[in-house]
C-alpha cells in the first residue's frame, strides 16, 4: 500500500482514522488529481500540512480548507495537522522578529505565544479572524511556513536540550511581551480551539495575574517526580538533585500541583515578573520539568493573584492536546 510510504509522520493509526472520513472522489476533484492518483497519499503529504478538508462536510467557504472546528476534530482524534519545520533557523533569516525588540504597533491587548524546538511538534493552525484582538508568535530553531497568522521570532537563548530552550521562552514571557496586557502561552502540541479573547473573558482572567490548569492526576511534587522517573521525562540524577535542592523549601509538601501546557499571565504585573524570575532560577538549576518548580515559585510571591483554568487539558473545550 502507498500509505506505508506517506511522509509527514502519518502512522497506521492516523491513516485508519483518516480513511474513515476521507471522501476520495470529492477530494480528488477538489485538487484536480488524475484518476489513478492516490487521494489518501496526497492528503497525507499535503492536505495535513496545509489543512485541507478531507470531505465536503469539513470544508470552509472556500471549498478547500478545513474549518477550525474540523481541525479540532482531527486533533482530538490524534491526527496531526499543520506544517513541520524545515531548515535550521539562521540569525539573519528573512522575516524573523527580534525577541528583545517586540513591539505592538496595532495596540492589541493579547499576545499568543508558542515554541517548537527540536522538531517535536507541528505548527498548529489558527483561525485568521482571531488576529483582530491578538498577535500570534512562534519561537523556534527551525523555519516554518507560518501563513498569515503566526509571526516567527528568533530564538536568542541556546541550550543543547530543546526542551530547556522552549522553557526559557515560557518563563521569560514578561521580558519579551511587556507591550501587551495579557500573554496566553500554549505548548507546541496544544491547539487553541476558540478566540483567545473569548477564552480569557470566559475564565474571568481580569481577576487574576496568572492562571494555569490544576494537575488532573497528582497533587504533590513527590508524586510528580515519581511519574517523571517512570515516564523518563528527565534524567534520574537530575530529578534526584532537584528534589534535594528543594526538599527544605517551605512549600515542598504543598498539595497544589499544576499542569502548565497553557498559561495566562499579565506580563507587567510586578508579582508575575517576580514569580517568573524565581521559577526560572529553580528550573535552570534543577529539572526541566517546570511543574516541579512552579508551586514553589508561586509560594514565594504573596501578592500574586493565581487562578485555575477550568477543567483540565484533556477535557477543556478551549484547547486540545496532541501527542508529540
Amino acid at each position: 500500500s502507498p500509505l506505508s510510504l506517506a511522509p509527514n509522520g502519518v502512522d497506521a493509526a492516523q491513516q485508519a482514522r483518516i480513511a474513515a472520513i476521507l471522501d476520495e472522489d470529492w477530494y480528488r476533484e477538489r485538487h484536480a488529481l488524475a484518476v489513478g492518483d492516490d487521494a489518501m497519499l496526497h492528503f497525507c503529504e499535503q492536505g495535513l500540512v496545509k489543512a485541507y478538508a478531507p470531505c465536503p462536510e469539513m470544508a470552509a467557504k472556500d471549498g478547500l480548507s478545513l474549518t477550525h472546528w474540523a481541525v479540532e476534530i482531527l486533533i482530538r482524534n490524534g491526527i496531526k495537522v499543520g506544517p513541520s519545520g524545515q531548515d535550521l533557523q539562521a540569525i539573519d533569516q528573512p522575516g524573523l522578529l527580534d525577541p528583545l525588540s517586540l513591539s505592538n504597533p496595532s495596540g492589541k491587548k493579547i499576545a499568543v505565544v508558542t515554541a517548537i524546538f527540536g522538531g517535536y511538534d507541528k505548527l498548529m493552525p489558527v483561525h485568521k479572524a482571531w488576529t483582530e484582538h491578538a498577535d500570534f508568535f512562534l519561537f523556534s530553531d527551525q523555519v516554518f511556513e507560518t501563513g498569515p497568522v503566526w509571526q516567527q521570532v528568533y530564538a536568542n537563548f541556546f541550550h543543547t536540550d530543546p526542551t530547556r530552550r522552549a522553557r526559557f521562552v515560557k518563563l521569560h514571557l514578561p521580558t519579551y511581551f511587556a507591550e501587551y496586557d495579557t500573554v496566553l502561552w500554549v505548548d507546541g502540541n496544544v491547539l487553541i480551539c476558540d478566540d483567545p479573547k473569548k477564552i480569557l473573558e470566559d475564565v474571568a482572567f481580569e481577576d487574576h495575574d496568572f492562571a494555569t490548569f490544576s494537575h488532573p492526576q497528582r497533587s504533590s511534587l513527590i508524586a510528580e517526580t515519581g511519574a517523571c522517573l517512570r515516564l523518563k521525562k528527565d534524567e534520574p540524577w537530575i530529578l534526584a538533585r532537584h528534589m534535594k535542592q528543594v526538599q527544605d523549601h517551605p512549600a515542598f509538601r504543598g498539595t497544589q500541583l499544576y499542569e502548565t501546557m497553557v498559561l495566562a499571565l499579565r506580563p507587567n504585573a510586578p508579582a508575575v515578573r517576580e514569580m517568573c524570575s524565581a521559577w526560572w532560577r529553580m528550573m535552570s538549576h534543577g529539572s526541566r520539568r517546570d511543574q516541579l518548580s512552579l508551586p514553589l515559585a508561586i509560594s514565594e510571591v504573596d501578592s500574586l493573584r493565581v487562578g485555575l483554568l477550568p477543567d483540565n487539558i484533556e477535557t477543556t473545550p478551549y484547547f486540545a492536546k496532541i501527542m508529540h
Side-chain angles (χ1 to χ4, degrees):
S1 168
L3 298 187
S4 62
L5 303 177
N8 199 26
V10 183
D11 59 25
Q14 291 184 68
Q15 292 170 18
R17 298 183 189 110
I18 292 167
I21 58 174
L22 180 63
D23 185 329
E24 296 197 16
D25 291 338
W26 177 87
Y27 186 88
R28 187 177 287 107
E29 184 273 328
R30 286 280 87 189
H31 296 276
L33 303 184
V35 175
D37 289 344
D38 192 304
M40 171 68 86
L41 190 59
H42 186 279
F43 183 74
C44 291
E45 288 180 326
Q46 299 187 38
L48 290 177
V49 175
K50 299 178 180 178
Y52 291 151
C55 59
E57 294 80 7
M58 289 184 163
K61 291 181 180 180
D62 62 8
L64 191 69
S65 58
L66 282 163
T67 61
H68 201 75
W69 65 263
V71 172
E72 181 180 347
I73 288 174
L74 296 184
I75 293 292
R76 290 190 185 277
N77 280 279
I79 299 171
K80 298 181 179 181
V81 183
S84 298
Q86 301 299 320
D87 299 328
L88 285 178
Q89 186 187 97
I91 192 170
D92 58 350
Q93 197 83 36
L96 290 183
L97 301 178
D98 179 353
L100 298 178
S101 300
L102 292 174
S103 61
N104 184 9
S106 62
K108 296 175 185 174
K109 295 184 179 298
I110 303 168
V112 180
V113 188
T114 194
I116 299 174
F117 290 94
Y120 287 138
D121 299 304
K122 299 181 183 299
L123 182 61
M124 296 289 188
V126 170
H127 201 302
K128 187 177 179 180
W130 298 347
T131 60
E132 180 181 354
H133 301 112
D135 287 329
F136 293 76
F137 298 94
L138 164 68
F139 288 73
S140 184
D141 55 352
Q142 299 171 297
V143 178
F144 281 80
E145 295 181 21
T146 54
V149 175
W150 291 104
Q151 303 177 67
Q152 189 151 357
V153 185
Y154 176 67
N156 64 326
F157 173 77
F158 297 92
H159 198 285
T160 54
D161 181 358
T163 300
R164 287 188 181 270
R165 292 193 74 180
R167 294 288 191 271
F168 181 89
V169 177
K170 185 175 183 177
L171 275 59
H172 287 80
L173 296 172
T175 300
Y176 293 131
F177 295 99
E179 297 290 322
Y180 293 84
D181 290 352
T182 306
V183 178
L184 180 67
W185 164 274
V186 291
D187 278 5
N189 63 327
V190 173
L191 175 76
I192 304 168
C193 300
D194 208 336
D195 187 333
K197 181 176 183 292
K198 181 178 182 297
I199 292 173
L200 293 168
E201 290 173 346
D202 287 354
V203 303
F205 188 65
E206 68 272 9
D207 297 330
H208 304 104
D209 300 317
F210 177 87
T212 188
F213 288 110
S214 183
H215 201 289
Q217 297 172 318
R218 293 176 285 279
S219 59
S220 75
L221 295 179
I222 294 174
E224 179 65 11
T225 302
C228 290
L229 281 168
R230 184 174 67 255
L231 299 172
K232 299 180 179 179
K233 295 293 187 179
D234 207 345
E235 296 291 340
W237 69 270
I238 294 178
L239 289 166
R241 185 183 66 183
H242 183 97
M243 293 298 280
K244 185 176 181 179
Q245 290 174 170
V246 303
Q247 64 184 354
D248 294 327
H249 194 284
F252 177 71
R253 296 191 179 277
T255 57
Q256 177 62 67
L257 194 68
Y258 301 97
E259 209 320 310
T260 60
M261 299 183 77
V262 176
L263 308 175
L265 59 87
R266 299 193 182 282
N268 293 299
V272 170
R273 290 177 171 269
E274 184 180 352
M275 186 277 292
C276 284
S277 178
W279 193 7
W280 173 249
R281 183 188 71 247
M282 295 177 194
M283 202 209 77
S284 62
H285 292 93
S287 173
R288 66 187 183 183
R289 300 299 294 171
D290 53 9
Q291 298 99 320
L292 295 178
S293 297
L294 179 58
L296 309 181
I298 286 176
S299 74
E300 293 186 2
V301 187
D302 293 336
S303 59
L304 182 68
R305 300 182 302 161
V306 180
L308 292 175
L309 300 177
D311 303 311
N312 61 65
I313 195 63
E314 304 290 348
T315 61
T316 176
Y318 300 123
F319 306 97
K321 182 183 76 169
I322 190 169
M323 296 302 292
H324 289 291

